[in-house]
């Protein structure tokens, strides 16, 4: 059952299943790198009566024992939805990339694709993405496909996250 805070803006209700802090592990691979395992923490929050969710994600490389080796990617942004299920997401990365994603949420399932990718002069050659999120038996699963470094859109990372903090108080 998904708890919807009383002060969550009605436009953000379709995304309420994401609220809270999630942690877990995943796997990654791409033609330009070696396969890897990673840990992740994702937090979806909200500001009372504002029509969006706040978002932060941090990842770190895991060794074979599951211990943290070093930080990997981080991103932050805002997720907006409408009652018709349309979604737009803005994400910023400290590596010089900003993205606008467009998609659709249907129940506890969200699929989106990049609409705009902007890069600084020295950011890696990343051109497009596709993400699929879903709530499965209370866990947040996702897969992220990426087009980068001259390669077409293909699988990059996927993870399984458990909610560790369901505190849904507004920021």
């Amino acid at each position: 059952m998904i708890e919807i805070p009383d002060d969550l803006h009605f436009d953000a209700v379709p995304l309420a299943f994401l609220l809270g802090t999630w942690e877990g592990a995943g796997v990654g691979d791409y033609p330009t790198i070696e396969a890897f395992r990673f840990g992740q923490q994702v937090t979806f929050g909200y500001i009372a009566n504002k029509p969006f969710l706040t978002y932060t994600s941090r990842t770190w490389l895991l060794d074979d024992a599951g211990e943290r080796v070093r930080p990997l990617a981080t991103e932050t942004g805002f997720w907006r939805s409408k009652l018709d299920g349309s979604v737009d997401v803005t994400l910023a990365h400290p590596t010089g990339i900003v993205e606008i994603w467009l998609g659709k949420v249907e129940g506890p399932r969200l699929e989106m694709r990049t609409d705009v990718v902007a890069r600084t002069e020295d950011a890696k050659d990343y051109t497009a993405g596709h993400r699929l999120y879903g709530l499965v038996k209370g866990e947040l699963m996702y897969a992220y496909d990426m087009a980068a470094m001259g390669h077409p859109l293909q699988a990059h990372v996927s993870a399984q996250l458990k909610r560790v903090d369901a505190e849904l108080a507004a920021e």
Side-chain angles (χ1 to χ4, degrees), residues 24-44:
V27 294
D29 199 4
Y30 206 70
T32 58
I33 58 174
E34 290 186 31
F36 62 97
R37 292 178 357 134
F38 66 95
Q40 184 170 24
Q41 180 184 66
V42 173
T43 301
F44 288 93

Side-chain angles (χ1 to χ4, degrees), residues 17-18 79 101 104 106 108-113 129-135 140-145 157-159:
F17 75 96
L18 296 168
W79 297 51
W101 295 76
K104 188 92 171 157
E106 296 178 24
R109 179 185 185 276
L110 169 65
E111 185 169 6
M112 61 186 187
R113 295 180 184 280
H130 172 259
R131 295 187 188 198
L132 179 62
Y133 293 82
L135 196 59
L140 185 61
M141 312 283 210
Y142 81 89
Y144 168 42
D145 298 344
V157 296
S158 61

Side-chain angles (χ1 to χ4, degrees), residues 105-120:
V105 62
E106 296 178 24
R109 179 185 185 276
L110 169 65
E111 185 169 6
M112 61 186 187
R113 295 180 184 280
T114 50
D115 181 53
V116 174
V117 174
R119 297 174 290 138
T120 58

Side-chain angles (χ1 to χ4, degrees), residues 64-137:
D64 291 338
E67 298 296 319
R68 292 181 186 189
V69 175
R70 62 179 168 81
L72 290 175
T74 187
E75 58 187 20
T76 188
F78 301 95
W79 297 51
R80 301 186 314 166
S81 65
K82 300 289 185 192
L83 290 177
D84 68 359
S86 62
V87 173
D88 65 75
V89 174
T90 56
L91 296 180
H93 307 260
T95 55
I97 296 172
V98 294
E99 305 162 282
I100 296 174
W101 295 76
L102 301 178
K104 188 92 171 157
V105 62
E106 296 178 24
R109 179 185 185 276
L110 169 65
E111 185 169 6
M112 61 186 187
R113 295 180 184 280
T114 50
D115 181 53
V116 174
V117 174
R119 297 174 290 138
T120 58
E121 184 177 341
D122 60 349
K124 80 174 176 181
D125 179 25
Y126 164 67
T127 57
H130 172 259
R131 295 187 188 198
L132 179 62
Y133 293 82
L135 196 59
V136 179
K137 297 182 181 178

